[in-house]
Amino acid sequence: MRRSASPFTLIEVVVAMGIMLLVAGILAGASFAFFRAWKSSELQTARLREYMNIDLVMDGCVRNMIPFHWIDQDENDDTNLVFDGQQDLLFFASVRRAYGRESGALIFVRLRLDELEGALVADYSMFPRLPWLEDDETELPWKTEILAKGVRKISFLYAADQAGAVVWLDEWDRETYDFLPLAVQMTVEWEDGRTEVWLRRSAG
């Protein structure tokens, strides 16, 4: 008579379960490592995209800013430089070819921090905008682009020539300087502790 196959022994069952648990652990560890690598790659891609957005504005607009003057329609016909360089805001006119393919010779740009959104934004206008007028004083539209999110602070420095030496100012007084700064430096601080600096010479 043929004897039936003997069942697995306890030791064999324990060894098989141990091997299965080991394989499961290896797969879980590999999956977790893959997930961490994917999240890290996703984070680095998002940061790179933000850096590229800022680079495009700094290279395309700030580098091409020009000394655009506005003549007031009054008795004196005063001429004012359309430029506003504050510690946390930059407003200027730039050559239009530096942004998009739409027609027009110039574009008016404002770089600022949107504190509600925690974002560095760039406002664009195809029509002349005057920095000494509030937004509610004109019906001209802005086109707003978010350059970077999670931003805690932005700050600007402006290079001026004083007696043959370059000095850096945290504000640009139009009453003192009726021309553009030699260069503009922008520092961006993110909520996660990162700090990056962009420096561009102006075309003015």
Side-chain angles (χ1 to χ4, degrees), residues 88-202:
D88 58 355
L89 182 142
L90 176 61
F91 189 121
F92 60 95
S94 182
V95 177
R96 185 69 182 100
R97 66 172 181 269
Y99 182 79
R101 298 180 179 179
E102 300 176 11
S103 60
L106 300 177
I107 186 171
F108 297 84
V109 184
R110 180 175 63 184
L111 298 177
R112 60 184 176 85
L113 176 65
D114 186 332
E115 296 182 353
L116 293 179
E117 296 291 336
L120 168 62
V121 300
D123 299 320
Y124 306 101
S125 176
M126 299 226 1
F127 308 98
R129 303 296 293 257
L130 306 179
W132 50 86
L133 295 180
E134 298 293 336
D135 283 345
D136 56 7
E137 295 183 52
T138 177
E139 297 180 356
L140 297 175
W142 284 108
K143 178 180 179 181
T144 299
E145 177 187 13
I146 296 178
L147 303 179
K149 295 182 178 180
V151 176
R152 182 177 67 86
K153 179 182 178 182
I154 63 172
S155 58
F156 295 95
L157 290 175
Y158 308 94
D161 184 353
Q162 294 185 356
V166 176
V167 297
W168 289 93
L169 310 173
D170 55 11
E171 288 189 359
W172 193 261
D173 186 1
R174 288 194 308 272
E175 296 183 359
T176 303
Y177 303 103
D178 192 32
F179 48 85
L180 295 178
L182 300 175
V184 175
Q185 175 180 297
M186 180 175 67
T187 302
V188 181
E189 300 177 20
W190 277 266
E191 295 287 355
D192 59 11
R194 286 177 294 138
T195 299
E196 298 290 342
V197 179
W198 281 264
L199 174 63
R200 296 294 186 275
R201 294 192 61 176
S202 69

Side-chain angles (χ1 to χ4, degrees), residues 51-63:
Y51 296 157
M52 291 177 63
N53 289 340
I54 299 174
D55 278 339
L56 286 174
V57 174
M58 297 298 289
D59 287 333
C61 295
V62 174
R63 189 188 296 273

Side-chain angles (χ1 to χ4, degrees), residues 16-32:
M17 290 182 63
I19 294 175
M20 292 176 63
L21 290 175
L22 179 62
V23 172
I26 293 175
L27 292 176
S31 298
F32 181 70

